[in-house]
Amino acid sequence: MVEILSVLGLPLAGAAALAAVGHRRHAAKLNMAASLATFLAAAALTARVAREGPLLALDRQFFVDPFNVFLVALTAFVGFTTAIFSDSYMRIEEEHKRLSAARLRLYHSMFQLFMFTMLLALLTNNMGILWVAMEAATLTTVLLVSLYRTPASLEAAWKYFILCGVGIAQALFGTILLYFAAEKLLGAGGGALLWTELNAVKGELGPVVLSLAFVFLLVGYGTKVGLVPLHNWLPDAHAEGPTPVSAVLSGLLLNVALYAVVRCKVLVEGAVQTTIAGKLMMGFGLVSVVLAALLLSRQKDIKRLFAYSSIEHMGIVTFAFGMGGAVANFAGLLHMTVHSLTKSAIFFTVGHAAQKVGTQAIDDIRGLVTISPLVGWGLAIGSLAILGMPPFGVFASEFLVLTTAMREQPWATPFLLGALGLAFAAIFSKVQPMVFGETTAKRLPLRPSMIPVFAHLSLVLMLGLWIPPFLAEWYRQAARLIG
């Protein structure tokens, strides 16, 4: 219980402290310290779950098993590296007069509050609190996306608020239906919304009500995942918000929203005894992969380009979880990991590149290896990794998804292969001149903070070559739990 309280309490305390002193010179260091403490607490919680197995705490309101503790550790790690990146990035933004001291205070405090909402959504055992945490995440990220207060950022924040507000309302209705189905068995009160209690009696829940509930839950939380057709908020939010916000949106929020969908899928499949939930997820996932791949070639803004890439990859993960089974679930969990690490690293390099060149327009960014070799090579390696080039971990996870689809869902294989080919051509053709193209700009004297970038890419490379036995067993246990 101490570990859970630490994981939740540290970012909440960090948010309160930064709300008071977030405008001061060393606020970024406090943000890093709070994020590091949260990561260490998450590591301690992970070690305890690995040692003792699933945990219930605080009158069963919090539940930790191999599935969510893996995401807790990933969320805390990416949050910590993003806080490191934020230090130099936000300092330059302040020097360029794009942000005032008051806006920096808002950024630092909301960053920690966002981390709290994500971790609360992952750790809670109560489906109602899960909904509240996702709604709170929406409100905090609206403030982060609109941080610059430009017309474009305000429009992006408004679009994000409206679309995700509509989506989260659908999820609320699905949660109410879930409670309605469970109340007859578990009685009135909060116990009817506890996931562990629902999972224990899922075979006795009404299949018709559960099927209807899953439709609303999939549409609601799927909006936060960025699944088509309610995906339009994601490219705008990435393009107009600060780059650290883009990193945590792609690396964390999408994973947590998909986690909520998968938890609901487990209940529905146990109640309905059919694959209707999996088929819906495969359908939404495949449409998202194909549409995102088609739209990649039309992008002119570098952050929008990789935002559509996030839609594509979350579609792949959704499709994998929709297929189900040990191998597909293992591949989905691995892809969630490598996508979070790779995409956040890419946004780190993109942020530095846009700051150095002074624009996010793809056509105006050329010769990054000349201007700043570390940024150029970071973007090149990150792009190759996210495109699934061996030996990076994205190749391993996509290979597992494709081979499983060939065996179990052969009709979907041509669509997946075609979409992956289109995405490769679109991203590679745009990134290559940005990195290696000719430029008249001089090499910049300032060395950016690239430690988070190469730390992430090193982990992705390792996961493509060798998955540590404890991590592989972790994935297998989580795959069985959601299988």
Side-chain angles (χ1 to χ4, degrees), residues 444-483:
L444 296 175
L446 297 177
R447 176 172 293 185
S449 175
M450 297 295 286
I451 293 176
V453 174
F454 291 108
H456 283 206
L457 295 179
S458 297
L459 289 172
V460 174
L461 178 61
M462 182 195 74
L463 292 173
L465 296 170
W466 173 70
I467 301 178
F470 75 90
L471 186 59
E473 180 59 28
W474 199 358
Y475 286 145
R476 282 192 286 268
Q477 289 180 21
R480 286 194 295 269
L481 287 170
I482 61 179

Side-chain angles (χ1 to χ4, degrees), residues 389-410:
M389 289 293 288
F392 291 99
V394 180
F395 169 78
S397 58
E398 287 182 348
F399 181 81
L400 287 173
V401 172
L402 284 171
T403 52
T404 306
M406 289 176 186
R407 184 178 67 252
E408 299 182 6
Q409 308 292 337

Side-chain angles (χ1 to χ4, degrees), residues 111-197:
F111 182 89
Q112 287 297 317
L113 193 58
F114 172 78
M115 292 301 300
F116 166 75
T117 59
M118 291 294 92
L119 293 168
L120 177 61
L122 291 171
L123 290 171
T124 184
N125 190 31
N126 191 307
M127 300 300 290
I129 296 177
L130 172 62
W131 181 87
V132 171
M134 295 301 297
E135 175 68 0
T138 301
L139 297 177
T140 55
T141 43
V142 163
L143 295 174
L144 289 170
V145 169
S146 63
L147 193 67
Y148 291 126
R149 297 296 191 272
T150 62
S153 67
L154 292 172
E155 180 183 351
W158 181 249
K159 182 184 290 187
Y160 172 68
F161 179 73
I162 293 297
L163 286 177
C164 288
V166 170
I168 210 71
Q170 306 300 310
L172 175 60
F173 189 63
T175 305
I176 293 171
L177 288 175
L178 193 63
Y179 176 82
F180 175 75
E183 183 185 11
K184 298 176 183 177
L185 293 173
L186 300 174
L193 283 177
L194 297 180
W195 188 87
T196 50
E197 300 296 317

Side-chain angles (χ1 to χ4, degrees), residues 353-371:
Q355 279 187 331
K356 290 178 180 300
V357 180
T359 179
Q360 294 177 190
I362 292 174
D363 292 339
D364 295 333
I365 303 175
R366 289 293 182 269
L368 286 175
V369 291
T370 302
I371 301 172

